[in-house]
Amino acid sequence: IRDSTEGALVTLAMKAGVEPALRRLERPRLEVIPFESAHRYMATLHGTADGGTEALVKGAPERVLAMCTRQLAADGRTEPLDAAAWQAAVDAQARAGRRVLALARRTLPPGQATLDHDHVDRGLELLGLVGIIDPPREEAVRAVRHCHEAGIRVVMITGDHAVTAAAIAAQLGLAGPGVVARAVTGPEIEALDDAALGELVAGTSVFARASPEHKLRLVRALRGRGEVVAMTGDGVNDAPALKQADVGVAMGLKGTEAAKQAGAIVLADDNFASIAQAVQEGRTVYDNLRKTVTFLLPVNGGESLSLLVAVLLGTALPIAPAQILWVNMVSSVALALVLAFEPPEADVMSRPPRPPDEPLLSRFLLWRVGFVSALFLAGIFGLHEWALAQGLDEATARTVAVNTLVCMEVFYLFSVRYLKAPSFTLQGVKGTPRVMAAVAAVVVLQLVFTYAPFMQSLFGSAALPPETLLPVL
């Protein structure tokens, strides 16, 4: 049984001593009215042992109670329905956070072979109520808290009873500052125009007895306020709302194919905590992309500026073209790749969401790129001219410039690993195993570039005297 509600009811029946397989033989199902949100109940037609037929109904308590005229007494007799007492029982179950279903039946003429809504919309006998405990998982409670810390509002839209929805929302901690704790129901949504609904969604996080049309209106109202909306759903009726949302998230385990086709993302484990984890991963990927760009642009900017200044001044190029190729294809790539695998920063889930139209390179990052490019220019061009002033030949001076560039890249890598937090801390210097491995690899490659004879022949490098290593560092 894929549906958790059906599974709970079958378990209840077995605990009561009813064997489902035997009952299916004794009372075969002849016809079914599937559940639809518009009717809020489902019904099945069964044959009885004496050759008669009987309709069994389960659904939302307020809907089924309205269809009943009598109730089953404790001694097995039928008596007039005490609607007020049953409604009080429904409210008591709902306040405990339980999902409540009403069960009813109606005897139909022998030989009845079809079943439609006219057969069950009145004259039912109420059998009782079933309260289903569906407590939030602990990881879901944590995920909601993390979402709130990250500036993400979590809104519950459910077909459950309003009191049940409010109780579950309280367990989840959905209500935040300025947010209404009570549940707004579908009929209340229907009574509002789009403008009024837009005002309502700003301060409400729980919507109960909601139909697919209500879900669609709510998504539109949220988007109309300029909010970015991610919508989850699993049924055929959820497809329009999933399509309308900025990010439709379909359930992968119990979701229908229609929902999966309409969604932009399919959630493989049907766990809300996975959505919060995906937000963290997405923010980390975006941060690492910015770090990589912020790392590569100044490196290339410094190289380009040093060559431009040399041309304008009419001096020798501080780095030969083949050496630039070496740096860009080996050192820069090895170091930049590490940034793509950086772990999340400590505050990644405590920042507010970034505006959707925010550019990848902010004004601050553009200033930073220009400033660091100037520092690279000073290091490359300055150390090249210093080496020439020390009487070193052109090949050695260029090797000094290349090693200065790579050394600056290594130090700048540690600086750019944290865009907002200080980098010169013990943790920042220690880095991660990938960072240290990349730095070690680059150091070895530069030693080979500088001192290996075959590399000197390929790239025109030269062995550096010991007294040049400290200025380079």
Side-chain angles (χ1 to χ4, degrees):
I1 299 173
R2 294 183 61 186
D3 184 83
S4 57
T5 300
E6 296 289 341
L9 292 175
V10 170
T11 302
L12 175 63
M14 295 176 69
K15 288 181 177 180
V18 177
E19 178 55 49
L22 180 60
R23 299 297 287 178
R24 281 195 293 270
L25 292 175
E26 294 177 349
R27 302 170 61 87
R29 177 181 291 189
L30 306 176
E31 186 63 276
V32 62
I33 299 176
F35 177 85
E36 292 183 11
S37 56
H39 302 289
R40 291 187 291 156
Y41 68 83
M42 74 165 291
T44 56
L45 180 65
H46 297 266
T48 61
D50 58 4
T53 57
E54 185 177 53
L56 301 178
V57 179
K58 76 170 187 289
E62 60 269 29
R63 180 70 179 97
V64 176
L65 283 173
M67 299 156 62
C68 293
T69 56
R70 302 187 65 78
Q71 66 186 34
L72 181 67
D75 58 4
R77 295 181 297 105
T78 62
E79 59 188 21
L81 179 72
D82 186 355
W86 286 108
Q87 188 58 55
V90 170
D91 292 340
Q93 292 289 318
R95 281 193 296 273
R98 300 189 181 104
R99 295 179 55 213
V100 186
L101 290 175
L103 308 179
R105 70 183 177 187
R106 183 184 183 188
T107 301
L108 295 175
Q112 181 81 26
T114 61
L115 185 67
D116 58 37
H117 297 288
D118 291 337
H119 294 133
V120 295
D121 65 352
R122 63 190 178 279
L124 298 184
E125 176 188 356
L126 183 66
L127 300 176
L129 301 175
V130 175
I132 301 176
I133 300 174
D134 189 13
R137 302 183 207 174
E138 182 58 36
E139 62 265 29
V141 178
R142 289 196 302 269
V144 169
R145 184 173 65 250
H146 292 160
C147 286
H148 286 167
E149 293 170 353
I152 301 169
R153 239 181 92 207
V154 183
V155 177
M156 177 194 294
I157 308 174
T158 177
D160 288 341
H161 191 281
V163 179
T164 302
I168 295 296
Q171 295 174 25
L172 284 169
L174 282 188
V179 178
V180 177
R182 80 171 185 88
V184 174
T185 62
E188 293 177 83
I189 296 173
E190 291 175 0
L192 299 174
D193 59 20
D194 290 344
L197 184 60
E199 293 296 323
L200 178 68
V201 296
T204 306
S205 286
V206 186
F207 298 90
R209 292 301 187 219
S211 68
E213 293 78 10
H214 299 150
K215 295 179 182 180
L216 184 60
R217 285 194 66 197
L218 289 170
V219 170
R220 287 174 175 168
L222 289 166
R223 293 193 66 191
R225 295 182 56 84
E227 299 190 33
V228 178
V229 181
M231 172 75 186
T232 64
D234 57 10
V236 174
N237 293 330
D238 293 327
L242 291 172
K243 202 72 173 176
Q244 184 69 36
D246 295 283
V247 182
V249 183
M251 301 294 105
L253 294 179
K254 63 178 182 179
T256 61
E257 285 303 316
K260 295 176 184 178
Q261 291 295 325
I265 295 173
V266 176
L267 195 61
D269 59 1
D270 289 7
N271 192 339
F272 179 79
S274 297
I275 298 178
Q277 183 65 30
V279 172
Q280 176 176 317
E281 289 294 329
R283 290 187 175 191
T284 301
V285 169
Y286 185 80
D287 280 353
N288 291 347
L289 178 61
R290 293 180 71 195
K291 292 173 186 179
T292 303
V293 173
T294 308
F295 173 77
L296 288 175
L297 287 182
V299 171
N300 289 279
E303 294 174 358
S304 302
L305 286 176
S306 64
L307 300 181
L308 179 63
V309 169
V311 171
L312 292 176
L313 296 179
T315 61
L317 296 178
I319 303 177
Q323 295 170 342
I324 291 177
L325 183 65
W326 163 262
V327 172
N328 288 343
M329 295 298 293
V330 180
S331 305
S332 298
V333 170
L335 296 175
L337 278 177
V338 174
L339 293 174
F341 300 99
E342 279 289 277
E345 294 190 32
D347 66 339
V348 69
M349 286 299 281
S350 60
R351 309 173 196 160
R354 62 179 177 85
D357 57 350
E358 179 184 84
L360 181 63
L361 290 176
S362 63
R363 292 177 61 184
F364 169 74
L365 288 183
L366 288 174
W367 174 87
R368 176 176 178 146
V369 168
F371 176 68
V372 177
S373 295
L375 293 180
F376 272 92
L377 166 65
I380 296 169
F381 198 84
L383 267 292
H384 176 263
E385 295 302 310
W386 171 84
L388 292 177
Q390 299 300 310
L392 300 176
D393 58 68
E394 184 62 41
T396 304
R398 284 179 170 170
T399 306
V400 167
V402 171
N403 281 280
T404 300
L405 169 59
V406 173
C407 190
M408 293 181 77
E409 285 183 355
V410 170
F411 276 86
Y412 184 52
L413 173 70
F414 284 95
S415 175
V416 84
R417 287 185 63 234
Y418 301 100
L419 292 176
K420 297 183 179 182
S423 296
F424 290 98
T425 61
L426 179 60
Q427 183 61 35
V429 172
K430 281 168 50 182
T432 62
R434 292 189 184 94
V435 171
M436 303 310 295
V439 171
V442 167
V443 169
V444 171
L445 289 170
Q446 282 306 117
L447 290 174
V448 174
F449 171 85
T450 303
Y451 295 103
F454 74 94
M455 294 294 282
Q456 294 173 355
S457 300
L458 283 173
F459 294 100
S461 57
L464 295 182
E467 61 270 17
T468 63
L469 299 180
L470 184 59
V472 166
L473 182 61

